[in-house]
Amino acid sequence: MKRLIPLTAMMMLLLTGCSVEGALDPKGPVAEKQLDLILLSLGVMTLVLVVVFVLFFWVIIRYRRKPGDEIPEQIEGSHKLEATWTIIPIVLLFIMAVPTVALTFNLEQEAKATEGDMVIQVVAKQFWWEFTYPEEGIVTAQEVYIPVGKKVVFELSSTDVQHSFWVPELGGKKDTNVGGRNVNYLALEASYPGTYKGKCAELCGQGHALMDFKVIALEQPEYDAWVQKMLTPAEVTVETELGAELFEAKCLSCHAIDPGMPSMGPNLNGFADRMFIAGWLENDAENLVKWIETPEDVKPGVLMPGFKDVLTREEIDEIVKYLQSLH
């Protein structure tokens, strides 16, 4: 018993870092169905574990050697036992497989967009995400807004290597294949307003671990207001005029700011309202300067070149001021 005390203390210490979130805290109907499968599998595995351990300890206690015992008669083979431990695992596998396969086919059927469904095109790139709203005429990056309680069909593809689109609290995951010939579809729905973390779930290169995005679920009126805001061009003021000129000269060849225009790098329309730079770094002036000067230090493997030796610190500050005005 004394040996178990430090082991228990160590386990309690490790578990303090755990929290119930992600796939174990579903915020949408798809994630709820997937959690049901997880709990079913966990229940079956727990049952097997308990039965095996009970039999194990019962055998070593019941048949432990006692003084005077003789070696019992040795037997080989038992058709009843072999049939038992063959049939039981098959039954357990069926219990897990049937609902899993059924749900997989149901989700694939639901992923087909029908009239009235909202469609968002998702293009994965090393190491960021581009989101296009065909009906609204909006292209954005890293943060995707959706209305609460509405089915959203994501069309998934990639331009470089294979990635995987995953929002644990809403459901998933599904691969994004290169090119437009093998597009995957995933239907998700948020039951509650909130910000849900998304990740690339396929090892895709040096910056894979930081290839995050956010799904922001809003009530319909708030979502409509966001759409209108994205379609309204930001005004260039006297204070941001120099930054706008520098941006046009040095950044516009890679980054669009028009609402519906895709670009080589992320579309920066509405950048000032984004929570993070590059999907994970807090969006403030200091971090934005760091990102523009040496993006490789912020997200390894990123394709954006550094501008530390191209622009002066004053010029970078002007660009930062301009970007922070893009609401």
Side-chain angles (χ1 to χ4, degrees):
M1 180 59 73
K2 291 182 178 178
R3 295 179 181 178
L4 293 178
I5 294 177
L7 178 62
T8 303
M10 185 176 66
M11 292 299 296
M12 292 179 66
L13 180 63
L14 291 174
L15 289 174
T16 55
C18 299
S19 62
V20 179
E21 59 181 12
L24 299 180
D25 186 22
K27 301 298 183 183
V30 175
E32 289 174 356
K33 294 173 184 175
Q34 292 177 333
L35 179 60
D36 289 341
L37 285 182
I38 293 174
L39 295 177
L40 173 65
S41 300
L42 186 63
V44 171
M45 289 185 283
T46 302
L47 174 65
V48 172
L49 184 70
V50 170
V51 170
V52 168
F53 269 80
V54 168
L55 289 176
F56 173 77
F57 285 108
W58 178 75
V59 167
I60 63 174
I61 294 172
R62 173 67 177 80
Y63 296 100
R64 69 188 187 281
R65 187 173 184 179
K66 305 181 186 68
D69 282 351
E70 296 181 357
I71 298 178
E73 179 184 358
Q74 302 298 298
I75 58 174
E76 292 185 3
S78 169
H79 294 303
K80 292 182 179 178
L81 287 177
E82 290 178 1
T84 300
W85 59 55
T86 300
I87 292 173
I88 290 178
I90 291 175
V91 172
L92 294 177
L93 286 176
F94 266 95
I95 291 175
M96 292 189 291
V98 171
T100 301
V101 173
L103 180 61
T104 300
F105 279 93
N106 288 339
L107 292 180
E108 283 299 313
Q109 189 67 28
E110 292 177 5
K112 297 178 181 177
T114 57
E115 188 175 355
D117 288 338
M118 181 177 175
V119 177
I120 298 177
Q121 296 167 345
V122 180
V123 179
K125 307 180 182 184
Q126 289 179 314
F127 300 94
W128 59 281
W129 301 85
E130 183 179 77
F131 303 102
T132 301
Y133 298 68
E135 290 190 9
E136 292 84 351
I138 293 173
V139 178
T140 187
Q142 300 298 96
E143 294 176 3
V144 54
Y145 286 70
I146 63 173
V148 170
K150 186 167 186 175
K151 172 185 170 185
V152 181
V153 176
F154 293 93
E155 293 183 6
L156 307 171
S157 64
S158 168
T159 59
D160 38 49
V161 300
Q162 184 166 304
H163 303 270
S164 190
F165 183 86
W166 187 29
V167 189
E169 290 173 287
L170 299 183
K173 64 182 180 63
K174 189 163 277 190
D175 289 346
T176 63
N177 299 313
V178 180
R181 300 182 59 185
N182 192 14
V183 176
N184 279 331
Y185 298 87
L186 177 67
L188 298 177
E189 179 181 329
S191 301
Y192 312 97
T195 299
Y196 306 111
K197 184 178 181 180
K199 288 195 67 69
C200 175
E202 183 79 29
L203 183 58
C204 57
Q206 195 176 5
H208 162 73
L210 301 177
M211 192 173 165
D212 293 355
F213 64 95
K214 301 292 179 292
V215 177
I216 300 165
L218 302 175
E219 297 290 358
Q220 189 66 51
E222 296 174 337
Y223 172 78
D224 294 338
W226 174 80
V227 170
Q228 192 58 41
K229 190 175 182 181
M230 290 293 286
L231 295 175
T232 304
E235 293 184 5
V236 177
T237 63
V238 175
E239 289 76 19
T240 60
E241 187 175 1
L242 177 56
E245 292 175 359
L246 288 167
F247 181 86
E248 183 175 350
K250 299 295 183 182
C251 313
L252 200 57
S253 59
C254 294
H255 295 283
I257 53 173
D258 291 338
M261 183 178 290
S263 51
M264 182 185 301
N267 185 309
L268 298 181
N269 182 34
F271 178 83
D273 296 323
R274 293 181 189 171
M275 291 178 285
F276 299 99
I277 302 166
W280 74 275
L281 187 66
E282 184 179 358
N283 188 2
D284 59 32
E286 183 180 353
N287 286 334
L288 189 51
V289 169
K290 182 180 179 182
W291 170 255
I292 294 174
E293 287 183 336
T294 54
E296 179 72 21
D297 291 345
V298 176
K299 181 182 278 190
V302 68
L303 297 179
M304 175 174 161
F307 283 83
K308 188 174 184 179
D309 299 326
V310 178
L311 297 168
T312 64
R313 176 57 192 264
E314 289 73 21
E315 289 174 328
I316 292 176
D317 286 341
E318 291 296 332
I319 292 177
V320 168
K321 191 189 302 179
Y322 171 66
L323 290 174
Q324 290 187 319
S325 73
L326 297 178
H327 291 284

